[in-house]
Every structure is written in structure tokens, then in C-alpha cells.
Amino acid sequence: MTPVMEVSALTTIAFWAASAMTLGFAAIVVTQRDVFRAAIALAGSFLGVGILYFVLSAEFVGVVQILVYVGAISVLMAFAVMFIQDIASGSRPAQGRLVGVAAAVLVFAALAFTAYNTEWSSQNELSPDAVVALTEGYYEVGEGDDIRVELTEPAGDNDVVVANGGAFVESTGAVGVLLVREYMLAFEIIGLLLVAALIGGLLLMRNPPSSNKTEKGDASV
Amino acid sequence: MFEDYFRQYALLIIFAAAAVTVPIGMLTMSYLAQFIKVRPSRPTAVKESAYEGGMPPFSSRPARFNFRYYYYALLFVVFDVETVFLFPWAVKYGVMSQQFGFAALGAVFIFLIVVTVGYAYAWRKQALEWVTNDDRS
């Protein structure tokens, strides 16, 4: 059985470069005393993780990583840092360094244990057809509720034929189809969740605890 | 298939490399030019101060920002996450509209209406206003 993903030299180089970028920026985050520079370096580390996702051909996860983490989370952290009264003096030496080291070692041990004990070759349990569909792509014939899946392009059919790249190479499109087809309700509920997050965030930021004046202002809106 | 996948990102890598090299190269060339007496280097305190609209700077770099900027950061994060869900749909919309017709558009339309309710709430609660009624009174 051929492996699902052949590792080329280019993949190996990209993997090591992205890993070095991730770890290098992460090292800057923990050693840099200027909190703002540490936040910028953390964004670089996030970007390295995003590149790793692209190397693993998980395009959608990579795009999410760059949009949400490099874009949004970094902005939030940069803003949070800029609200700090006293940036110039930098972060103080950490309290309880021993506890921190112990926690880091435990987390690393748990991750390493999981990675070591996972059966990574689960691709061999897939049927050959599934492997072809995931790597080479497949064809969907028909429309609406009446769609069948074929591995080769059907000839002489009047139905709508849609060529799909395999999910391993075209993960973004596959996720998009799933969002609109199988998980449409979940998709709409995500919208509701976003609204709830927005309202919750706005409520938390309003009403400075000092006075009731803001409360009155709210009522008059 | 995988060769195609990596080939399209090779273009991106070349683009990123050019985008990083050009500004860094310009700064490096400018720095090196002072050694061959092309660019004189006579730094003064005024030249080295941070540029603040032509005025002498009021404060050093670590200035505190107004807390109200956080409203915009929060709104940005929420609508950034919204984009994450629109992106895979937009990639496949062309073929999905063939297969499912109006349903492919309707699902996202409902999603957008729901999220717009959040935007309307923020608008109504004056989260987008810089000066609110509280400040004027």
C-alpha cells in the first residue's frame, strides 16, 4: 500500500524552517522583558504554527490560525499590553518559578507520552477507495438531495458533475461544503454564539465600577 | 496532486521573501552607504527622537492608550472569526450553487443576518461612538 502522503525534500525543509521559526519566536517571548516586544514575537510564533499547518496540507486550519491567532489574538494582546500602566520597567521576575517549571515539564511529558503512544499509521485502515478519494479527489454527480459519489469522471451523463479535490489537498472547500450541507444548523448556531460573545464582551467593558452615572446613561439610550 | 499543492505555495514563499528582502535591503544599503562616504551620519538628539507629527514628542514610547480602543479590538475579533466561516464557503460557492441552488446562498445569508444583530447591538449601545452622551453631560 502506498502511503497517503509522500514526504518530499521540500516538505522536510519547510517543516524544519517553520519549526525553527515557531520555537525561535517562542524563546524570544519568554526571554524578552519588554512585554510589547514579547507580544509581537508571540505573533511570529503563531505564524510559524500556521505555516506548519500549511505544510501538513491542512489549509483551512492554517488560514484560521493566521486569521484568528496572528490577526485577532495578537491585536487583543497588543491592546491589553498598551493599557498597562508601566510598560517601560518590563515584566517583573516571575514569582514561583519552581511551580512554573514543574507545570511545563508535566505538560511536555503528557504531550510526549500521547505523541509516542498514538497509532499514527491509521491511514492503513482506510479502504483503497477512500485513500484515492482523499488524495486524488472524487466526483459528485447529481444535485440537491440526490448526490452520488464516483471515483472516476462519469461520461455521457446529463447530471450536474462536480469535481472535488481530495480533502487532503483541498481541505478548505471540503469544510465549506460540510458547513452548508451536513452542519448547516451548527453553522447558524455559531453565528448566534458570535453574537453572544460580542454582547458579553461589550457588557463586560461597559459600566466602570466607579459610578452609577453610566447606568443612567444606558437607560436613556 | 501534492506537487500542485506545494507549487502554489512556492509562489507565496517567493512573494514573502521579496516582501521581506526589499525593505530590509534598503535599510541595509542605507546603513552601509555611510562607510563609503555617500551618506553622512551626524546624529543629533532631535534627529533621533520619535516622529510625532512634527511636534516635539510629549512622552516616550510606552504611552498608555485610551481604554475605549478595546471596543474596536473586540469588534474586530468577532468579525474576524465570522470571516473564518465565510472563507471556506466562498471558496466552494461556485460549485455549491450548482448542486444546492439557493440553499447554498441562504445558509450564509441567515448566518450573516444573525451576526449583523450583534453589530446592531454594538451600534445601539454606542460602542462605535467615540464621544458618548455620558461625556457630554
Side-chain angles (χ1 to χ4, degrees):
Chain A
M1 169 140 219
T2 55
V4 170
M5 188 172 178
E6 283 165 35
V7 179
S8 65
L10 191 67
T11 318
T12 315
I13 294 170
F15 173 78
W16 285 108
S19 304
M21 183 180 170
T22 309
L23 292 178
F25 276 115
I28 295 176
V29 173
V30 287
T31 52
Q32 175 63 249
R33 294 188 66 84
D34 188 327
V35 198
F36 192 74
R37 286 184 188 159
I40 302 280
L42 193 58
S45 186
F46 284 151
L47 190 63
V49 176
I51 295 172
L52 274 180
Y53 287 136
F54 280 108
V55 170
L56 294 168
S57 80
E59 248 179 324
F60 178 63
V61 188
V63 168
V64 170
Q65 170 80 16
I66 287 176
L67 266 181
V68 174
Y69 280 85
V70 183
I73 303 287
S74 302
V75 164
L76 273 188
M77 279 188 305
F79 272 76
V81 166
M82 286 192 290
F83 298 134
I84 295 171
Q85 183 105 45
D86 190 16
I87 317 176
S89 65
S91 56
R92 282 175 214 87
Q95 302 286 310
R97 200 168 281 197
L98 224 69
V99 184
V101 169
V105 167
L106 278 178
V107 168
F108 178 77
L111 287 177
F113 181 78
T114 315
Y116 187 74
N117 279 299
T118 304
E119 181 64 45
W120 291 105
S121 58
S122 57
Q123 48 175 308
N124 296 330
E125 293 158 19
L126 295 172
S127 69
D129 283 354
V131 171
V132 172
L134 283 172
T135 54
E136 302 292 323
Y138 58 95
Y139 295 90
E140 289 183 349
V141 186
E143 53 190 309
D145 293 329
D146 184 31
I147 291 179
R148 63 179 192 279
V149 172
E150 311 239 341
L151 286 181
T152 51
E153 187 167 8
D157 234 334
N158 289 326
D159 284 332
V160 177
V161 177
V162 172
N164 283 292
F168 279 19
V169 267
E170 267 193 37
S171 57
T172 316
V175 170
V177 171
L178 285 176
L179 274 183
V180 172
R181 199 197 278 161
E182 271 90 347
Y183 300 106
M184 203 208 267
L185 183 65
F187 180 45
E188 311 301 352
I189 290 174
I190 287 168
L192 219 55
L193 193 68
L194 279 176
V195 174
L198 178 62
I199 293 175
L202 289 179
L203 280 178
L204 279 177
M205 281 167 53
R206 295 190 74 83
N207 303 334
S210 55
S211 69
N212 291 325
K213 206 174 136 215
T214 327
E215 297 285 336
K216 272 189 281 174
D218 272 354
S220 68
V221 166
Chain B
M1 267 315 217
F2 279 114
E3 287 77 23
D4 290 345
Y5 176 81
F6 285 114
R7 194 165 294 134
Q8 59 179 345
Y9 282 107
L11 289 173
L12 192 67
I13 291 169
I14 294 168
F15 183 76
V20 171
T21 314
V22 168
I24 290 181
M26 286 163 87
L27 288 174
T28 313
M29 279 168 64
S30 168
Y31 176 77
L32 292 177
Q34 66 180 302
F35 297 114
I36 54 171
K37 306 282 186 219
V38 174
R39 188 199 77 166
S41 175
R42 295 187 202 94
T44 62
V46 175
K47 280 183 188 172
E48 292 194 328
S49 64
Y51 181 73
E52 198 172 280
M55 297 285 288
F58 294 125
S59 58
S60 54
R61 179 187 70 76
R64 273 181 82 191
F65 275 62
N66 193 318
F67 187 72
R68 283 199 187 140
Y69 281 114
Y70 215 68
Y71 280 117
Y72 301 102
L74 187 82
L75 285 169
F76 168 68
V77 169
V78 169
F79 290 102
D80 199 41
V81 176
E82 179 199 347
T83 317
V84 162
F85 292 101
L86 292 183
F87 166 61
W89 166 81
V91 165
K92 270 285 184 180
Y93 178 68
V95 287
M96 283 196 297
S97 64
Q98 283 179 357
Q99 285 178 301
F100 310 112
F102 187 69
L105 182 65
V108 168
F109 199 65
I110 297 171
F111 176 75
L112 283 179
I113 288 177
V114 171
V115 179
T116 309
V117 170
Y119 184 75
Y121 176 85
W123 195 345
R124 190 176 153 72
K125 286 292 177 184
Q126 295 187 330
L128 307 173
E129 303 275 329
W130 191 249
V131 179
T132 62
N133 286 332
D134 303 337
D135 299 320
R136 292 196 197 100
S137 62

